[in-house]
Amino acid sequence: NAGVMQNPRHLVRRRGQEARLRCSPMKGHSHVYWYRQLPEEGLKFMVYLQKENIIDESGMPKERFSAEFPKEGPSILRIQQVVRGDSAAYFCASHTGNSGNTIYFGEGSWLTVV
Amino acid sequence: GENVEQHPSTLSVQEGDSAVIKCTYSDSASNYFPWYKQELGKRPQLIIDIRSNVGEKKDQRIAVTLNKTAKHFSLHITETQPEDSAVYFCAASMGSSNTGKLIFGQGTTLQVKP
């Protein structure tokens, strides 16, 4: 759904640099999910956040990756010291938080590490 | 851990024929099963979903069936058209309480030949 906004759409980083990906959920949605899609693979859950809280980060790599969803502003997925294996599409999805509701994906951010 | 297996990985049909994609899941607590269509470079788009309290759901040319006992669900597309060509992903909710956290299958590349 076009209501989930992600930016940038495409990002190129050199190895060792930092990547910051932003996601604004649909209006009225207070729950945000980040998924990663490696080339020619399915999406893999990374992290689930509500405003000012990380609810579930069981899919996040242990190092270099972090996520936040501040009280004001978008959710941010931060990747420090990027490596070539981080090259992927990163999709954000939002949700109202009520069991039974559908999640809606943003258009994705394509990260290329050179 | 929880897993979703999807078959076939590629499927080629003639325009007008039917296409069937099958998925099995391992988490018996899963209660929400969406299907997504993804075109190259685009976000996954929800095309149909089914919840565990029903066995079948239909929306025009698309139908999904669910067998909770066997833990498998299938996508059926009838009267296929060239614009149905895309990658299709099945997914299952992780557990029963939150539909935003999904496990995805590996994807099926559907090619509809005119």
Side-chain angles (χ1 to χ4, degrees):
Chain A
N1 188 296
V4 179
M5 305 300 293
Q6 287 189 248
N7 68 82
R9 292 294 315 282
H10 298 276
L11 182 64
V12 179
R13 284 288 178 264
R14 295 187 185 278
R15 281 178 292 171
Q17 290 185 318
E18 179 180 288
R20 285 194 180 215
L21 312 177
R22 288 174 289 277
C23 168
S24 296
M26 281 182 69
K27 188 175 181 180
H29 287 190
S30 58
H31 296 236
V32 164
Y33 302 81
W34 285 94
Y35 284 80
R36 177 165 67 174
Q37 186 176 32
L38 295 171
E40 300 186 11
E41 293 190 12
L43 284 78
K44 297 266 192 311
F45 167 78
M46 299 181 74
V47 62
Y48 161 35
L49 311 102
Q50 295 177 23
K51 287 282 187 181
E52 300 184 280
N53 280 309
I54 297 175
I55 305 303
D56 184 337
E57 55 181 351
S58 58
M60 288 279 269
K62 294 282 185 277
E63 297 177 347
R64 302 187 297 108
F65 284 72
S66 62
E68 62 175 3
F69 190 12
K71 186 177 180 181
E72 301 291 337
S75 174
I76 295 175
L77 179 67
R78 181 184 178 201
I79 311 172
Q80 295 178 288
Q81 300 173 342
V82 296
V83 301
R84 288 216 169 117
D86 296 333
S87 296
Y90 292 84
F91 289 97
C92 170
S94 76
H95 183 218
T96 65
N98 296 321
S99 182
N101 284 346
T102 304
I103 64 169
Y104 297 92
F105 284 98
E107 293 291 349
S109 291
W110 268 259
L111 171 65
T112 302
V113 179
V114 297
Chain B
E2 295 92 349
N3 190 41
V4 173
E5 294 285 337
Q6 181 172 348
H7 299 279
S9 58
T10 59
L11 180 59
S12 182
V13 300
Q14 286 296 133
E15 183 177 0
D17 287 350
S18 295
V20 180
I21 303 171
K22 298 181 179 182
C23 289
T24 59
Y25 61 98
S26 59
D27 184 357
S28 55
S30 294
N31 65 351
Y32 174 64
F33 307 91
W35 285 87
Y36 290 88
K37 175 184 180 182
Q38 188 178 32
E39 296 175 346
L40 189 63
K42 304 278 184 152
R43 66 184 174 92
Q45 285 191 296
L46 179 72
I47 55 172
I48 195 167
D49 55 12
I50 191 167
R51 303 189 189 280
S52 58
N53 56 345
V54 298
E56 186 173 357
K57 183 177 178 180
K58 189 173 181 181
D59 182 4
Q60 299 182 347
R61 297 187 296 110
I62 295 172
V64 59
T65 58
L66 171 65
N67 183 328
K68 281 222 76 177
T69 303
K71 289 195 270 189
H72 65 71
F73 55 114
S74 301
L75 177 72
H76 304 252
I77 306 174
T78 58
E79 301 171 24
T80 54
Q81 301 166 1
E83 50 265 40
D84 293 331
S85 297
V87 180
Y88 290 80
F89 292 97
C90 63
S93 61
M94 290 191 202
S96 60
S97 61
N98 190 328
T99 61
K101 191 177 172 184
L102 304 172
I103 310 169
F104 281 78
Q106 300 88 340
T108 296
T109 300
L110 173 64
Q111 182 186 25
V112 180
K113 298 177 182 176

